[in-house]
Structure formats: structure tokens, C-alpha cells
Amino acid sequence: MKKLFHYISIIVAIISLINIIQILSLGVSRLSDFGYGALVGKNILLVLSVFIAFKTKSSKKESY
């Protein structure tokens, strides 16, 4: 289950990063109040999903 959350959060992070890049490529000057809210929401989603991916990663400890 932990691995599933990890991979889902990575996919969500990639998708939200692509959406942020698309919004910024259109030009920040063309954004309305709704556009700024969407951009902030996508940023929060990106940070949250990266945090979840970082916390759920498996740590492989090697024993010698």
C-alpha cells in the first residue's frame, strides 16, 4: 500500500508540474484572478505530492 501511494504521488507531481509549465508558458500577464488561484493550487498540489513521495519512499539498508 505504501508503494502504491508513492507511485501515485509521483504521477500527480509530474502531471501538476506539466500543468504549471503550461500555465506559465502562456504568460503570467494574461492570468486573471482565477488563473492566479489555479496556479497557486497547482503549486500546493505539487509540493504536497512531492512531500508524500519523499515520505513514502522505501529505504533499502544494505548489510555487509
Side-chain angles (χ1 to χ4, degrees):
M1 195 70 170
K2 186 176 176 183
K3 194 179 275 191
L4 180 69
F5 285 136
H6 178 73
Y7 288 121
I8 288 174
S9 64
I10 288 174
I11 291 170
V12 169
I14 291 171
I15 291 171
S16 62
L17 183 64
I18 290 170
N19 286 336
I20 290 170
I21 290 171
Q22 286 177 346
I23 290 172
L24 292 177
S25 69
L26 293 175
V28 179
S29 61
R30 295 182 57 188
L31 288 178
S32 62
D33 289 337
F34 177 75
Y36 284 119
L39 185 61
V40 168
K42 299 279 184 188
N43 285 331
I44 291 171
L45 181 64
L46 177 66
V47 169
L48 185 66
S49 61
V50 167
F51 177 74
I52 291 172
F54 180 72
K55 285 296 187 181
T56 58
K57 73 176 183 174
S58 62
S59 60
K60 296 189 178 196
K61 297 179 182 178
E62 296 181 21
S63 59
Y64 295 101

